[in-house]
Amino acid sequence: MTRRFWAAICAAALALPLAVVGIAMIPSAQANNKGDAWLTNNAVTANGHDHVPHLDCSLIYLHGSSLDDTGTYTIDSIPGTGSGKTIWSGTWTTPASGDVLTTVTGTALVDAAIAQDGAVANLNQGYHFELTLVQGPGDNNGDVKHKTFWVKCGEVPPAPS
């Protein structure tokens, strides 16, 4: 192999990563992945952002920060307790003060999952749900946020045998 051949291979190898980096750095003009959303059983959260994936049947608060002013949400009953059917939906508006976008009771979610999806409780966790929050036009993945959570309404694990 000649020096000229190896020089061409080395030049090509050095140029390739630069070309890939250049492509990856092109921003999406429509992506809107700003802000965050989370669920709690409390209206006020410490430090403004406590995650609670296991909720009880009391009032559930959907919190948001740095999101668009309005949007839509759905709550699906998902496997292992449901089939993935949307059982709750609505719109939200960011309030002038505070971060609570909307509320729903855990009991209402569980009742809807049972009635609309035939969901059954996982004895160790309760009922499994997925929140999908859409802000902006909702026409690309940057506009969508997902959170999975469990609602437990007194389910008790079976006694060991």
Side-chain angles (χ1 to χ4, degrees):
M1 307 252 170
T2 67
R3 281 187 174 170
R4 190 175 286 165
F5 173 78
W6 284 111
I9 293 292
C10 290
L14 290 174
L16 181 60
L18 295 176
V20 172
V21 169
I23 292 170
M25 291 173 52
I26 298 172
S28 170
Q30 294 185 352
N32 180 14
N33 198 19
K34 68 180 186 174
D36 197 7
W38 65 100
L39 297 149
T40 71
N41 284 122
N42 301 309
V44 178
T45 57
N47 300 324
H49 200 271
D50 285 344
H51 292 276
V52 183
H54 295 93
L55 302 166
D56 64 37
C57 276
S58 65
L59 196 58
I60 297 172
Y61 297 87
L62 169 56
H63 299 269
S65 66
S66 302
L67 298 168
D68 281 353
D69 291 337
T70 61
T72 62
Y73 69 93
T74 59
I75 298 176
D76 299 342
S77 171
I78 63 174
T81 60
S83 67
K85 182 175 182 174
T86 297
I87 55 133
W88 204 275
S89 63
T91 60
W92 54 267
T93 302
T94 304
S97 63
D99 64 2
V100 176
L101 304 176
T102 191
T103 60
V104 62
T105 65
T107 304
L109 286 180
V110 168
D111 290 348
I114 293 168
Q116 297 176 36
D117 195 27
V120 294
N122 175 311
L123 294 177
N124 296 314
Q125 300 288 330
Y127 293 84
H128 201 190
F129 298 97
E130 179 179 37
L131 165 72
T132 302
L133 185 133
V134 180
Q135 59 180 336
D139 58 0
N140 62 62
N141 288 334
D143 296 339
V144 180
K145 298 191 178 306
H146 299 280
K147 299 290 179 185
T148 59
F149 63 100
W150 293 86
V151 174
K152 191 169 185 179
C153 292
E155 293 78 19
V156 178
S161 57

